[in-house]
Amino acid sequence: MFVKQSMDKGGRTMNKTEKLIGAIFAFIGAIFLIIGLVICINAYQKRAKWVETDAVVSEVIYRRDSEAVIVQYEVNGKTQEQKINGYSSGMVEGAPIHLWYNPENPAQIHTNALDMLHWMFIGMGGLFFAVGCSFFITPIIKGKKQKELLEQGEMVRADIVEIALNRAYSVNGRHPYYISCRWRNPENGQYYLFRSENLWYNPQDLLEEKQLKTLPVYLAPKNYKKYYICLDEIKVNDYQ
């Protein structure tokens, strides 16, 4: 049974929106990655050139929205006291802490407390970048698989059984359509259900206009779980 709906005029716009979202995610991810890598490289450069020493937490100042940690360490036999950048729950008065200081300016120090920061930036950046790239890579992979099925697959005509909204996916609050088809294998009588790729317009009117009750489905030899519903018969240039 068809789900009756009017044709949506936003098909092309939605494709561009998906690409824009992917580009934004990739851009944000790249920025986070660069920041994380800069912090990481800077930290390891300091560890390579600065003096490594053991210190102790001398005071923890608790504020409304942050904490200030003061540490003490020895520099050429003299006690140096300095505030560090960063805080963790293990930083309590009297707790030991490892740090590096600049031999030319002992007031400049570096601790492992910043390690979490650069790994956080790298992790978030990598995640955002991967999500953004998936918007571009996934269609390429799908395109290659579809091309293989078109060239090597077995073509059958499957009955159209439903047009529905893909409520598991949306862009700007809008859901795409998909077409469900069913095919009966004449060799063993078994039925197979297939689902098309997303469409950003309702194909109902086109199917009725062309009086289409079936669509071509290309099946991978000996593995009908791999298939491709060819929608060339109902594609509209304004939406694809």
Side-chain angles (χ1 to χ4, degrees):
M1 179 181 293
F2 292 145
V3 178
K4 189 73 175 178
Q5 302 245 359
S6 61
M7 181 173 285
D8 192 333
K9 298 296 184 182
R12 174 179 291 179
T13 303
M14 296 308 300
N15 284 337
K16 288 183 178 179
T17 302
E18 288 178 301
K19 292 178 181 179
L20 178 61
I21 292 173
I24 292 173
F25 268 81
F27 179 73
I28 294 174
I31 291 177
F32 272 78
L33 277 173
I34 291 172
I35 293 174
L37 289 173
V38 169
I39 295 174
C40 183
I41 292 171
N42 183 54
Y44 283 101
Q45 285 178 339
K46 288 178 179 179
R47 294 181 187 185
K49 297 178 181 179
W50 290 8
V51 177
E52 184 177 3
T53 188
D54 291 317
V56 64
V57 177
S58 61
E59 184 180 6
V60 180
I61 303 172
Y62 296 95
R63 299 169 180 170
R64 179 177 298 179
D65 56 354
S66 64
E67 293 80 18
V69 180
I70 311 299
V71 297
Q72 286 184 351
Y73 52 101
E74 297 290 327
V75 179
N76 299 324
K78 296 182 180 180
T79 300
Q80 184 86 19
E81 195 170 61
Q82 189 64 38
K83 174 185 173 182
I84 67 171
N85 294 320
Y87 170 79
S88 68
S89 58
M91 294 179 181
V92 296
E93 292 185 15
I97 187 171
H98 209 63
L99 59 78
W100 291 258
Y101 66 85
N102 186 348
E104 298 179 0
N105 183 6
Q108 293 182 343
I109 60 176
H110 168 76
T111 70
N112 292 329
L114 292 177
D115 288 354
M116 182 68 70
L117 182 63
H118 69 244
W119 285 118
M120 180 185 72
F121 272 95
I122 291 174
M124 290 182 61
L127 177 62
F128 272 74
F129 190 76
V131 170
C133 289
S134 70
F135 278 80
F136 300 93
I137 295 174
T138 301
I140 294 175
I141 296 175
K142 279 187 176 180
K144 289 183 178 180
K145 292 181 178 179
Q146 291 172 1
K147 184 179 179 182
E148 290 179 0
L149 287 170
L150 286 170
E151 293 176 349
Q152 305 172 14
E154 172 191 354
M155 196 277 281
V156 300
R157 300 288 306 192
D159 296 325
I160 300 170
V161 295
E162 182 185 27
I163 298 171
L165 287 172
N166 182 1
R167 299 191 180 277
Y169 180 71
S170 66
V171 176
N172 287 345
R174 299 179 59 198
H175 302 283
Y177 293 89
Y178 68 88
I179 302 174
S180 292
C181 297
R182 186 176 64 175
W183 172 71
R184 180 177 180 274
N185 188 340
E187 295 182 0
N188 55 21
Q190 184 175 349
Y191 283 95
Y192 293 86
L193 190 65
F194 307 114
R195 177 169 165 170
S196 75
E197 61 189 20
N198 288 330
L199 293 167
W200 288 108
Y201 62 91
N202 189 345
Q204 173 71 53
D205 292 341
L206 284 173
L207 291 169
E208 292 182 351
E209 178 185 333
K210 298 185 177 183
Q211 298 182 343
L212 292 173
K213 301 295 183 182
T214 64
L215 285 174
V217 181
Y218 290 82
L219 307 173
K222 300 180 181 180
N223 186 1
Y224 293 164
K225 291 183 179 180
K226 295 181 179 180
Y227 62 87
Y228 169 57
I229 299 179
C230 184
L231 302 174
D232 288 350
E233 295 179 51
I234 57 170
K235 279 189 176 180
V236 179
N237 292 332
D238 288 342
Y239 305 109
Q240 301 301 316

